[in-house]
Amino acid sequence: MLMALAMVMLQTATAQTDRPERENLEKELRKLNMATMAVKGLYVDEVDEHKLVEDAIRGMLEKLDPHSAYTTPKETKAMTEPLNGSFEGIGVQFNMVEDTLVVIQPVVNGPSEKVGIVAGDRIVMVNDTAIAGVKMSKEEIMRRLRGPKGTIADLRIIRPGIKDLLTFKVKRDKIPVHSIDATYMLQPGIGYIRIGSFSATTHAEFLESMQKLKAQGMTDLVLDLQENGGGYLQAAAELANEFLEQGDLIVYTDGRTTSRRDYRADGNGTFRDGRIVVLVDQFTASAAEIVTGAVQDHDRGMVVGRRTFGKGLVQRPIDLPDGSMVRLTIAHYYTPSGRCIQKPYEKGDKKGYDKDLLNRLNSGELTNVDSIHFADSLKYETLKKHRTVYGGGGIMPDYFIPLDTTRYTKYHRELAAKSVIIQQNLRYVDNNRKALKKTYQDFDTFKAQYEIPQTLVDAIVKEGEKQNIKPKDDEEMQRTLPYLKLQLKALVARDLWDMSEYFSIINTDSEAVKKALQLLQEN
């Protein structure tokens, strides 16, 4: 593995450095290899050569920037599957109720739906191995359910109301992983799309969502990139292209050994006229910041929320022979106005870098706009209206929404942390699915009429008490109830329908969404 990485380095050096530098690099690589062999051959105790090499690679990368990293084969596969847009398996959304897998929904037209598996089914055995009642980890269960396309998963299922175990043979297939979390109409004329990450399929998913919303009369768009940690740069460029005119610069990258590369709009975007509001927060990063920066710099739309994360470094993946990967930073990316939005960092100080968001909270930046200060040297201008924007770390929104630190009481946080809320919600939906579906045959009726029953709240309180989770006093309980009930209603909607319905309910209390609607209505 170490030699494979060395070969990549030598190839790069051959192409980009003169002979003395190349010879010096070869000398240092020989030294590294000799040290590895010495430890392997002479150290007093037995050593794991594989781990020795991995530790050496990690040690090198840890002294660089915070985003250069090494991942094992298992970690690499887990990281790339969502970005590639699919994995191979049986196609169910599930959750664990105590130690039993309960199907929330089978993937539409997926392998499980095709053989008759339905919401509420409990998968208790996979290929003659019990997965219920044996304290098996969620990761191990997923490993058994997934497998190469075309292979068979022999499932034993308990279905409520059916006495005997049911048997299903499911032929595994490619299962799509969607990067768009929600698509729905906020109100007449205004559509909403929430993107969770930027993957290989994001652009195609976005076009599908836009077609759906336009058919419902959408003329303006709220694009929610809150908590979007990024993904593929190319996917971000393709999305921004939908909003911009021909020749508009979307983003450019530039590095020490990589020449500048410009990404420009081709003029064929499908939403070049409608108004846009982009929602961001402190977790909006990387590819999501590219889209946000392009919209803001071209005065194409308004940005609402809090200053974004500030990841402006481009990583090149270097695949190693055993399936592991090195992701090495090779360039910075810049918004159209020339802003490098990478926040400051000290090489090798990953802990300090990771504390940035906590420092923002402690300084008041996340809760008070007056706590945010930029040096004059970080001033830039937007390209059409010449408004002042700032570089030096993230995208500062046009309209600030403070973090609501009062929404979650300590009692609520503890209930959530111990999974009391999600477990009781799943149990409630499991026991009442048929009755709920019969009463609320469409989501609009559910949203308008459904109220969380007191019995569900009581079950949560009772289970909390069993785990020694109690409100400090009645006042804390009363402050907890409104958002708890809203969250529960959204979760019930998710389990009966999907994530679009979840966000349709949870966003009724979102200050960022309310501000977006206000801006679109005023203008």
Side-chain angles (χ1 to χ4, degrees), residues 64-67 289 307-313 332-333 339-357 359-360 365 373-375 377-378 390-395:
L64 304 178
D65 65 277
H67 297 292
E289 292 175 296
R307 182 165 67 98
T308 61
F309 184 86
K311 181 186 181 296
L313 300 175
H332 290 84
Y333 68 71
R339 290 183 285 170
C340 177
I341 60 174
Q342 173 61 44
K343 61 185 177 183
Y345 62 88
E346 291 186 18
K347 289 184 177 180
D349 185 14
K350 185 71 163 60
K351 288 185 178 180
Y353 188 79
D354 291 341
K355 288 182 179 178
D356 175 66
L357 294 181
N359 293 337
R360 290 193 202 183
E365 178 190 319
H373 305 286
F374 292 98
S377 61
L378 300 175
Y390 291 93
I395 301 286

mmCIF file of all heavy atoms in Angstrom, residues 64-67 289 307-313 332-333 339-357 359-360 365 373-375 377-378 390-395:
data_model
loop_
_atom_site.group_PDB
_atom_site.id
_atom_site.type_symbol
_atom_site.label_atom_id
_atom_site.label_comp_id
_atom_site.label_asym_id
_atom_site.label_seq_id
_atom_site.Cartn_x
_atom_site.Cartn_y
_atom_site.Cartn_z
ATOM 1 N N LEU A 64 -1.194 17.807 7.437
ATOM 2 C CA LEU A 64 -1.584 18.707 6.351
ATOM 3 C C LEU A 64 -2.871 19.442 6.741
ATOM 4 O O LEU A 64 -3.070 19.774 7.889
ATOM 5 C CB LEU A 64 -1.755 17.903 5.061
ATOM 6 C CG LEU A 64 -0.516 17.086 4.631
ATOM 7 C CD1 LEU A 64 -0.824 16.298 3.358
ATOM 8 C CD2 LEU A 64 0.690 17.988 4.421
ATOM 9 N N ASP A 65 -3.743 19.658 5.787
ATOM 10 C CA ASP A 65 -4.986 20.379 6.071
ATOM 11 C C ASP A 65 -6.023 19.438 6.696
ATOM 12 O O ASP A 65 -5.850 18.214 6.686
ATOM 13 C CB ASP A 65 -5.542 20.959 4.769
ATOM 14 C CG ASP A 65 -5.952 19.861 3.798
ATOM 15 O OD1 ASP A 65 -5.058 19.352 3.095
ATOM 16 O OD2 ASP A 65 -7.133 19.505 3.777
ATOM 17 N N PRO A 66 -7.131 19.990 7.209
ATOM 18 C CA PRO A 66 -8.114 19.148 7.913
ATOM 19 C C PRO A 66 -8.903 18.205 7.014
ATOM 20 O O PRO A 66 -9.615 17.324 7.526
ATOM 21 C CB PRO A 66 -9.052 20.181 8.556
ATOM 22 C CG PRO A 66 -8.312 21.476 8.538
ATOM 23 C CD PRO A 66 -7.428 21.426 7.344
ATOM 24 N N HIS A 67 -8.830 18.365 5.703
ATOM 25 C CA HIS A 67 -9.681 17.563 4.820
ATOM 26 C C HIS A 67 -8.928 16.515 4.012
ATOM 27 O O HIS A 67 -9.556 15.706 3.326
ATOM 28 C CB HIS A 67 -10.483 18.483 3.896
ATOM 29 C CG HIS A 67 -11.428 19.379 4.629
ATOM 30 N ND1 HIS A 67 -12.542 18.909 5.286
ATOM 31 C CD2 HIS A 67 -11.404 20.717 4.852
ATOM 32 C CE1 HIS A 67 -13.165 19.923 5.864
ATOM 33 N NE2 HIS A 67 -12.509 21.025 5.612
ATOM 34 N N GLU A 289 -21.782 25.120 -0.754
ATOM 35 C CA GLU A 289 -21.298 26.503 -0.719
ATOM 36 C C GLU A 289 -20.990 27.016 -2.121
ATOM 37 O O GLU A 289 -21.088 28.216 -2.382
ATOM 38 C CB GLU A 289 -20.067 26.597 0.179
ATOM 39 C CG GLU A 289 -20.384 26.352 1.646
ATOM 40 C CD GLU A 289 -19.148 26.315 2.541
ATOM 41 O OE1 GLU A 289 -18.320 25.413 2.364
ATOM 42 O OE2 GLU A 289 -19.021 27.206 3.403
ATOM 43 N N ARG A 307 -23.955 31.923 8.640
ATOM 44 C CA ARG A 307 -22.716 31.748 7.880
ATOM 45 C C ARG A 307 -22.401 30.273 7.706
ATOM 46 O O ARG A 307 -22.451 29.493 8.660
ATOM 47 C CB ARG A 307 -21.555 32.463 8.589
ATOM 48 C CG ARG A 307 -20.228 32.361 7.833
ATOM 49 C CD ARG A 307 -19.221 33.371 8.350
ATOM 50 N NE ARG A 307 -18.785 33.096 9.704
ATOM 51 C CZ ARG A 307 -17.667 32.467 10.027
ATOM 52 N NH1 ARG A 307 -16.861 32.003 9.076
ATOM 53 N NH2 ARG A 307 -17.322 32.292 11.285
ATOM 54 N N THR A 308 -22.056 29.899 6.483
ATOM 55 C CA THR A 308 -21.832 28.494 6.175
ATOM 56 C C THR A 308 -20.510 28.000 6.754
ATOM 57 O O THR A 308 -19.714 28.771 7.288
ATOM 58 C CB THR A 308 -21.882 28.260 4.655
ATOM 59 O OG1 THR A 308 -20.851 29.042 4.027
ATOM 60 C CG2 THR A 308 -23.240 28.658 4.087
ATOM 61 N N PHE A 309 -20.281 26.703 6.614
ATOM 62 C CA PHE A 309 -19.157 26.024 7.272
ATOM 63 C C PHE A 309 -17.790 26.589 6.879
ATOM 64 O O PHE A 309 -16.914 26.791 7.708
ATOM 65 C CB PHE A 309 -19.218 24.534 6.929
ATOM 66 C CG PHE A 309 -18.177 23.697 7.624
ATOM 67 C CD1 PHE A 309 -18.405 23.199 8.886
ATOM 68 C CD2 PHE A 309 -16.966 23.397 7.005
ATOM 69 C CE1 PHE A 309 -17.442 22.428 9.536
ATOM 70 C CE2 PHE A 309 -16.001 22.629 7.636
ATOM 71 C CZ PHE A 309 -16.244 22.141 8.903
ATOM 72 N N GLY A 310 -17.585 26.807 5.578
ATOM 73 C CA GLY A 310 -16.298 27.342 5.117
ATOM 74 C C GLY A 310 -15.320 26.270 4.683
ATOM 75 O O GLY A 310 -14.175 26.247 5.126
ATOM 76 N N LYS A 311 -15.756 25.365 3.785
ATOM 77 C CA LYS A 311 -14.853 24.357 3.225
ATOM 78 C C LYS A 311 -14.605 24.696 1.754
ATOM 79 O O LYS A 311 -15.473 24.473 0.909
ATOM 80 C CB LYS A 311 -15.416 22.942 3.346
ATOM 81 C CG LYS A 311 -14.463 21.882 2.774
ATOM 82 C CD LYS A 311 -15.088 20.506 2.774
ATOM 83 C CE LYS A 311 -14.114 19.469 2.214
ATOM 84 N NZ LYS A 311 -13.779 19.711 0.790
ATOM 85 N N GLY A 312 -13.434 25.224 1.483
ATOM 86 C CA GLY A 312 -13.102 25.633 0.126
ATOM 87 C C GLY A 312 -11.891 24.902 -0.406
ATOM 88 O O GLY A 312 -11.101 25.473 -1.161
ATOM 89 N N LEU A 313 -11.724 23.642 -0.020
ATOM 90 C CA LEU A 313 -10.584 22.844 -0.464
ATOM 91 C C LEU A 313 -11.065 21.704 -1.354
ATOM 92 O O LEU A 313 -12.077 21.063 -1.072
ATOM 93 C CB LEU A 313 -9.833 22.267 0.747
ATOM 94 C CG LEU A 313 -9.259 23.291 1.732
ATOM 95 C CD1 LEU A 313 -8.648 22.583 2.935
ATOM 96 C CD2 LEU A 313 -8.219 24.171 1.059
ATOM 97 N N HIS A 332 -7.722 25.078 -4.072
ATOM 98 C CA HIS A 332 -8.812 25.816 -3.431
ATOM 99 C C HIS A 332 -9.878 26.071 -4.491
ATOM 100 O O HIS A 332 -9.574 26.132 -5.676
ATOM 101 C CB HIS A 332 -8.333 27.173 -2.906
ATOM 102 C CG HIS A 332 -7.409 27.079 -1.735
ATOM 103 N ND1 HIS A 332 -6.050 26.869 -1.868
ATOM 104 C CD2 HIS A 332 -7.646 27.176 -0.399
ATOM 105 C CE1 HIS A 332 -5.485 26.837 -0.661
ATOM 106 N NE2 HIS A 332 -6.438 27.015 0.243
ATOM 107 N N TYR A 333 -11.117 26.227 -4.049
ATOM 108 C CA TYR A 333 -12.099 26.713 -5.006
ATOM 109 C C TYR A 333 -12.541 28.126 -4.616
ATOM 110 O O TYR A 333 -12.526 28.506 -3.451
ATOM 111 C CB TYR A 333 -13.285 25.753 -5.195
ATOM 112 C CG TYR A 333 -14.228 25.559 -4.038
ATOM 113 C CD1 TYR A 333 -15.105 26.562 -3.641
ATOM 114 C CD2 TYR A 333 -14.301 24.346 -3.361
ATOM 115 C CE1 TYR A 333 -15.989 26.382 -2.610
ATOM 116 C CE2 TYR A 333 -15.188 24.146 -2.321
ATOM 117 C CZ TYR A 333 -16.034 25.176 -1.954
ATOM 118 O OH TYR A 333 -16.913 24.985 -0.926
ATOM 119 N N ARG A 339 -13.928 35.058 -4.179
ATOM 120 C CA ARG A 339 -13.814 34.718 -2.757
ATOM 121 C C ARG A 339 -13.336 33.287 -2.561
ATOM 122 O O ARG A 339 -13.900 32.350 -3.135
ATOM 123 C CB ARG A 339 -15.180 34.856 -2.066
ATOM 124 C CG ARG A 339 -15.670 36.260 -1.909
ATOM 125 C CD ARG A 339 -16.977 36.288 -1.151
ATOM 126 N NE ARG A 339 -18.111 35.841 -1.963
ATOM 127 C CZ ARG A 339 -19.324 35.594 -1.479
ATOM 128 N NH1 ARG A 339 -19.555 35.711 -0.177
ATOM 129 N NH2 ARG A 339 -20.298 35.220 -2.280
ATOM 130 N N CYS A 340 -12.305 33.118 -1.760
ATOM 131 C CA CYS A 340 -11.958 31.787 -1.271
ATOM 132 C C CYS A 340 -12.642 31.646 0.082
ATOM 133 O O CYS A 340 -12.307 32.378 1.019
ATOM 134 C CB CYS A 340 -10.453 31.612 -1.112
ATOM 135 S SG CYS A 340 -9.994 29.996 -0.424
ATOM 136 N N ILE A 341 -13.597 30.738 0.166
ATOM 137 C CA ILE A 341 -14.404 30.694 1.385
ATOM 138 C C ILE A 341 -13.895 29.679 2.400
ATOM 139 O O ILE A 341 -14.552 29.425 3.405
ATOM 140 C CB ILE A 341 -15.878 30.414 1.057
ATOM 141 C CG1 ILE A 341 -16.015 29.087 0.338
ATOM 142 C CG2 ILE A 341 -16.476 31.544 0.242
ATOM 143 C CD1 ILE A 341 -17.449 28.681 0.115
ATOM 144 N N GLN A 342 -12.706 29.098 2.163
ATOM 145 C CA GLN A 342 -12.125 28.194 3.144
ATOM 146 C C GLN A 342 -11.811 28.961 4.419
ATOM 147 O O GLN A 342 -11.113 29.970 4.402
ATOM 148 C CB GLN A 342 -10.852 27.548 2.620
ATOM 149 C CG GLN A 342 -10.095 26.714 3.633
ATOM 150 C CD GLN A 342 -10.910 25.536 4.175
ATOM 151 O OE1 GLN A 342 -11.571 24.846 3.419
ATOM 152 N NE2 GLN A 342 -10.850 25.337 5.471
ATOM 153 N N LYS A 343 -12.326 28.484 5.537
ATOM 154 C CA LYS A 343 -12.053 29.157 6.801
ATOM 155 C C LYS A 343 -10.617 28.887 7.236
ATOM 156 O O LYS A 343 -10.011 27.882 6.844
ATOM 157 C CB LYS A 343 -13.037 28.706 7.874
ATOM 158 C CG LYS A 343 -13.010 27.224 8.206
ATOM 159 C CD LYS A 343 -14.121 26.883 9.188
ATOM 160 C CE LYS A 343 -14.181 25.402 9.489
ATOM 161 N NZ LYS A 343 -15.302 25.055 10.383
ATOM 162 N N PRO A 344 -10.028 29.767 8.012
ATOM 163 C CA PRO A 344 -8.625 29.611 8.415
ATOM 164 C C PRO A 344 -8.400 28.329 9.221
ATOM 165 O O PRO A 344 -9.290 27.856 9.926
ATOM 166 C CB PRO A 344 -8.373 30.854 9.292
ATOM 167 C CG PRO A 344 -9.429 31.831 8.896
ATOM 168 C CD PRO A 344 -10.628 31.013 8.528
ATOM 169 N N TYR A 345 -7.204 27.776 9.111
ATOM 170 C CA TYR A 345 -6.831 26.603 9.888
ATOM 171 C C TYR A 345 -5.318 26.558 10.043
ATOM 172 O O TYR A 345 -4.582 27.178 9.277
ATOM 173 C CB TYR A 345 -7.306 25.312 9.211
ATOM 174 C CG TYR A 345 -6.704 25.049 7.849
ATOM 175 C CD1 TYR A 345 -5.496 24.350 7.714
ATOM 176 C CD2 TYR A 345 -7.313 25.509 6.690
ATOM 177 C CE1 TYR A 345 -4.925 24.127 6.467
ATOM 178 C CE2 TYR A 345 -6.755 25.287 5.440
ATOM 179 C CZ TYR A 345 -5.564 24.594 5.338
ATOM 180 O OH TYR A 345 -5.007 24.379 4.108
ATOM 181 N N GLU A 346 -4.865 25.830 11.059
ATOM 182 C CA GLU A 346 -3.442 25.587 11.254
ATOM 183 C C GLU A 346 -3.153 24.147 10.876
ATOM 184 O O GLU A 346 -3.852 23.227 11.319
ATOM 185 C CB GLU A 346 -3.037 25.834 12.708
ATOM 186 C CG GLU A 346 -3.108 27.302 13.119
ATOM 187 C CD GLU A 346 -2.557 27.521 14.525
ATOM 188 O OE1 GLU A 346 -1.827 26.616 15.012
ATOM 189 O OE2 GLU A 346 -2.866 28.559 15.129
ATOM 190 N N LYS A 347 -2.142 23.948 10.059
ATOM 191 C CA LYS A 347 -1.814 22.592 9.621
ATOM 192 C C LYS A 347 -1.529 21.697 10.824
ATOM 193 O O LYS A 347 -0.776 22.073 11.725
ATOM 194 C CB LYS A 347 -0.608 22.616 8.686
ATOM 195 C CG LYS A 347 -0.916 23.222 7.320
ATOM 196 C CD LYS A 347 0.285 23.134 6.389
ATOM 197 C CE LYS A 347 -0.073 23.673 5.007
ATOM 198 N NZ LYS A 347 1.073 23.598 4.067
ATOM 199 N N GLY A 348 -2.153 20.517 10.808
ATOM 200 C CA GLY A 348 -1.929 19.551 11.879
ATOM 201 C C GLY A 348 -2.819 19.741 13.091
ATOM 202 O O GLY A 348 -2.839 18.894 13.972
ATOM 203 N N ASP A 349 -3.590 20.860 13.140
ATOM 204 C CA ASP A 349 -4.427 21.123 14.305
ATOM 205 C C ASP A 349 -5.881 20.785 13.983
ATOM 206 O O ASP A 349 -6.737 21.658 13.866
ATOM 207 C CB ASP A 349 -4.307 22.584 14.735
ATOM 208 C CG ASP A 349 -5.064 22.873 16.025
ATOM 209 O OD1 ASP A 349 -5.451 21.908 16.718
ATOM 210 O OD2 ASP A 349 -5.281 24.066 16.333
ATOM 211 N N LYS A 350 -6.173 19.499 13.823
ATOM 212 C CA LYS A 350 -7.528 19.061 13.491
ATOM 213 C C LYS A 350 -8.495 19.340 14.639
ATOM 214 O O LYS A 350 -9.649 19.707 14.407
ATOM 215 C CB LYS A 350 -7.510 17.555 13.186
ATOM 216 C CG LYS A 350 -8.829 16.970 12.710
ATOM 217 C CD LYS A 350 -9.154 17.424 11.302
ATOM 218 C CE LYS A 350 -10.230 16.540 10.654
ATOM 219 N NZ LYS A 350 -11.507 16.529 11.372
ATOM 220 N N LYS A 351 -8.021 19.190 15.870
ATOM 221 C CA LYS A 351 -8.900 19.432 17.014
ATOM 222 C C LYS A 351 -9.353 20.886 17.060
ATOM 223 O O LYS A 351 -10.526 21.181 17.305
ATOM 224 C CB LYS A 351 -8.186 19.061 18.325
ATOM 225 C CG LYS A 351 -8.016 17.558 18.531
ATOM 226 C CD LYS A 351 -7.407 17.254 19.887
ATOM 227 C CE LYS A 351 -7.272 15.742 20.110
ATOM 228 N NZ LYS A 351 -6.669 15.440 21.428
ATOM 229 N N GLY A 352 -8.424 21.796 16.821
ATOM 230 C CA GLY A 352 -8.764 23.214 16.812
ATOM 231 C C GLY A 352 -9.754 23.540 15.701
ATOM 232 O O GLY A 352 -10.691 24.322 15.885
ATOM 233 N N TYR A 353 -9.555 22.924 14.550
ATOM 234 C CA TYR A 353 -10.447 23.128 13.405
ATOM 235 C C TYR A 353 -11.854 22.631 13.730
ATOM 236 O O TYR A 353 -12.848 23.288 13.407
ATOM 237 C CB TYR A 353 -9.879 22.374 12.209
ATOM 238 C CG TYR A 353 -10.580 22.622 10.892
ATOM 239 C CD1 TYR A 353 -10.327 23.778 10.149
ATOM 240 C CD2 TYR A 353 -11.457 21.683 10.369
ATOM 241 C CE1 TYR A 353 -10.947 23.985 8.927
ATOM 242 C CE2 TYR A 353 -12.081 21.883 9.144
ATOM 243 C CZ TYR A 353 -11.817 23.041 8.424
ATOM 244 O OH TYR A 353 -12.425 23.247 7.212
ATOM 245 N N ASP A 354 -11.926 21.485 14.383
ATOM 246 C CA ASP A 354 -13.230 20.898 14.701
ATOM 247 C C ASP A 354 -13.986 21.698 15.765
ATOM 248 O O ASP A 354 -15.196 21.536 15.921
ATOM 249 C CB ASP A 354 -13.058 19.456 15.178
ATOM 250 C CG ASP A 354 -12.616 18.530 14.061
ATOM 251 O OD1 ASP A 354 -12.790 18.893 12.882
ATOM 252 O OD2 ASP A 354 -12.076 17.442 14.360
ATOM 253 N N LYS A 355 -13.276 22.541 16.509
ATOM 254 C CA LYS A 355 -13.922 23.347 17.549
ATOM 255 C C LYS A 355 -14.499 24.654 17.012
ATOM 256 O O LYS A 355 -15.092 25.432 17.766
ATOM 257 C CB LYS A 355 -12.914 23.666 18.669
ATOM 258 C CG LYS A 355 -12.564 22.482 19.546
ATOM 259 C CD LYS A 355 -11.600 22.904 20.646
ATOM 260 C CE LYS A 355 -11.262 21.722 21.552
ATOM 261 N NZ LYS A 355 -10.281 22.103 22.604
ATOM 262 N N ASP A 356 -14.332 24.892 15.699
ATOM 263 C CA ASP A 356 -14.752 26.173 15.139
ATOM 264 C C ASP A 356 -16.229 26.458 15.380
ATOM 265 O O ASP A 356 -16.598 27.568 15.779
ATOM 266 C CB ASP A 356 -14.445 26.208 13.637
ATOM 267 C CG ASP A 356 -14.966 27.479 12.977
ATOM 268 O OD1 ASP A 356 -14.452 28.560 13.314
ATOM 269 O OD2 ASP A 356 -15.885 27.386 12.142
ATOM 270 N N LEU A 357 -17.095 25.472 15.144
ATOM 271 C CA LEU A 357 -18.526 25.706 15.313
ATOM 272 C C LEU A 357 -18.878 25.977 16.777
ATOM 273 O O LEU A 357 -19.742 26.814 17.069
ATOM 274 C CB LEU A 357 -19.326 24.515 14.791
ATOM 275 C CG LEU A 357 -19.245 24.286 13.276
ATOM 276 C CD1 LEU A 357 -20.104 23.078 12.886
ATOM 277 C CD2 LEU A 357 -19.679 25.519 12.510
ATOM 278 N N ASN A 359 -16.842 27.376 18.876
ATOM 279 C CA ASN A 359 -16.354 28.738 19.111
ATOM 280 C C ASN A 359 -17.336 29.777 18.569
ATOM 281 O O ASN A 359 -17.540 30.837 19.178
ATOM 282 C CB ASN A 359 -14.983 28.929 18.455
ATOM 283 C CG ASN A 359 -13.898 28.096 19.114
ATOM 284 O OD1 ASN A 359 -14.028 27.705 20.277
ATOM 285 N ND2 ASN A 359 -12.833 27.807 18.385
ATOM 286 N N ARG A 360 -17.947 29.473 17.434
ATOM 287 C CA ARG A 360 -18.952 30.393 16.877
ATOM 288 C C ARG A 360 -20.141 30.530 17.830
ATOM 289 O O ARG A 360 -20.676 31.623 18.022
ATOM 290 C CB ARG A 360 -19.453 29.884 15.527
ATOM 291 C CG ARG A 360 -18.451 29.948 14.391
ATOM 292 C CD ARG A 360 -19.183 29.713 13.071
ATOM 293 N NE ARG A 360 -18.287 29.262 12.016
ATOM 294 C CZ ARG A 360 -18.676 29.044 10.762
ATOM 295 N NH1 ARG A 360 -19.938 29.225 10.437
ATOM 296 N NH2 ARG A 360 -17.813 28.631 9.861
ATOM 297 N N GLU A 365 -21.937 34.314 17.618
ATOM 298 C CA GLU A 365 -22.146 34.505 16.185
ATOM 299 C C GLU A 365 -23.392 33.798 15.668
ATOM 300 O O GLU A 365 -24.067 34.301 14.758
ATOM 301 C CB GLU A 365 -20.932 34.003 15.395
ATOM 302 C CG GLU A 365 -21.120 34.144 13.883
ATOM 303 C CD GLU A 365 -20.061 33.444 13.062
ATOM 304 O OE1 GLU A 365 -18.872 33.509 13.445
ATOM 305 O OE2 GLU A 365 -20.424 32.838 12.044
ATOM 306 N N HIS A 373 -18.112 39.834 12.648
ATOM 307 C CA HIS A 373 -17.263 40.932 12.168
ATOM 308 C C HIS A 373 -16.321 40.421 11.085
ATOM 309 O O HIS A 373 -15.720 39.352 11.219
ATOM 310 C CB HIS A 373 -16.455 41.528 13.319
ATOM 311 C CG HIS A 373 -17.296 41.977 14.482
ATOM 312 N ND1 HIS A 373 -18.063 43.122 14.443
ATOM 313 C CD2 HIS A 373 -17.520 41.415 15.700
ATOM 314 C CE1 HIS A 373 -18.705 43.265 15.600
ATOM 315 N NE2 HIS A 373 -18.389 42.226 16.378
ATOM 316 N N PHE A 374 -16.193 41.188 10.002
ATOM 317 C CA PHE A 374 -15.273 40.858 8.915
ATOM 318 C C PHE A 374 -14.298 42.013 8.712
ATOM 319 O O PHE A 374 -14.684 43.185 8.784
ATOM 320 C CB PHE A 374 -16.032 40.616 7.603
ATOM 321 C CG PHE A 374 -16.874 39.379 7.605
ATOM 322 C CD1 PHE A 374 -18.230 39.441 7.865
ATOM 323 C CD2 PHE A 374 -16.305 38.137 7.329
ATOM 324 C CE1 PHE A 374 -19.014 38.294 7.852
ATOM 325 C CE2 PHE A 374 -17.077 36.988 7.322
ATOM 326 C CZ PHE A 374 -18.429 37.071 7.584
ATOM 327 N N ALA A 375 -13.040 41.671 8.436
ATOM 328 C CA ALA A 375 -12.048 42.698 8.127
ATOM 329 C C ALA A 375 -12.335 43.309 6.762
ATOM 330 O O ALA A 375 -12.877 42.647 5.870
ATOM 331 C CB ALA A 375 -10.652 42.079 8.143
ATOM 332 N N SER A 377 -10.371 43.876 4.495
ATOM 333 C CA SER A 377 -9.604 43.176 3.453
ATOM 334 C C SER A 377 -10.370 42.001 2.863
ATOM 335 O O SER A 377 -9.999 41.477 1.810
ATOM 336 C CB SER A 377 -8.279 42.678 4.032
ATOM 337 O OG SER A 377 -8.514 41.771 5.101
ATOM 338 N N LEU A 378 -11.444 41.580 3.536
ATOM 339 C CA LEU A 378 -12.230 40.440 3.063
ATOM 340 C C LEU A 378 -13.454 40.869 2.255
ATOM 341 O O LEU A 378 -14.277 40.047 1.891
ATOM 342 C CB LEU A 378 -12.674 39.583 4.250
ATOM 343 C CG LEU A 378 -11.551 38.988 5.105
ATOM 344 C CD1 LEU A 378 -12.126 38.265 6.314
ATOM 345 C CD2 LEU A 378 -10.707 38.026 4.272
ATOM 346 N N TYR A 390 -18.584 38.955 1.693
ATOM 347 C CA TYR A 390 -17.326 38.746 2.400
ATOM 348 C C TYR A 390 -16.748 37.363 2.135
ATOM 349 O O TYR A 390 -17.466 36.380 1.992
ATOM 350 C CB TYR A 390 -17.527 38.924 3.905
ATOM 351 C CG TYR A 390 -17.821 40.351 4.299
ATOM 352 C CD1 TYR A 390 -19.136 40.801 4.408
ATOM 353 C CD2 TYR A 390 -16.788 41.246 4.532
ATOM 354 C CE1 TYR A 390 -19.418 42.116 4.761
ATOM 355 C CE2 TYR A 390 -17.061 42.568 4.886
ATOM 356 C CZ TYR A 390 -18.375 42.994 4.993
ATOM 357 O OH TYR A 390 -18.638 44.293 5.322
ATOM 358 N N GLY A 391 -15.422 37.302 2.081
ATOM 359 C CA GLY A 391 -14.702 36.044 2.016
ATOM 360 C C GLY A 391 -14.112 35.730 3.377
ATOM 361 O O GLY A 391 -14.513 36.283 4.392
ATOM 362 N N GLY A 392 -13.154 34.810 3.388
ATOM 363 C CA GLY A 392 -12.437 34.536 4.624
ATOM 364 C C GLY A 392 -13.030 33.461 5.494
ATOM 365 O O GLY A 392 -12.572 33.250 6.622
ATOM 366 N N GLY A 393 -14.027 32.747 5.003
ATOM 367 C CA GLY A 393 -14.582 31.664 5.815
ATOM 368 C C GLY A 393 -16.074 31.531 5.691
ATOM 369 O O GLY A 393 -16.820 32.172 6.423
ATOM 370 N N GLY A 394 -16.533 30.735 4.743
ATOM 371 C CA GLY A 394 -17.963 30.500 4.576
ATOM 372 C C GLY A 394 -18.650 31.605 3.793
ATOM 373 O O GLY A 394 -18.064 32.627 3.450
ATOM 374 N N ILE A 395 -19.941 31.382 3.512
ATOM 375 C CA ILE A 395 -20.789 32.359 2.834
ATOM 376 C C ILE A 395 -21.682 33.010 3.878
ATOM 377 O O ILE A 395 -22.449 32.334 4.560
ATOM 378 C CB ILE A 395 -21.673 31.682 1.764
ATOM 379 C CG1 ILE A 395 -20.823 30.979 0.714
ATOM 380 C CG2 ILE A 395 -22.616 32.708 1.134
ATOM 381 C CD1 ILE A 395 -20.141 31.876 -0.265
#
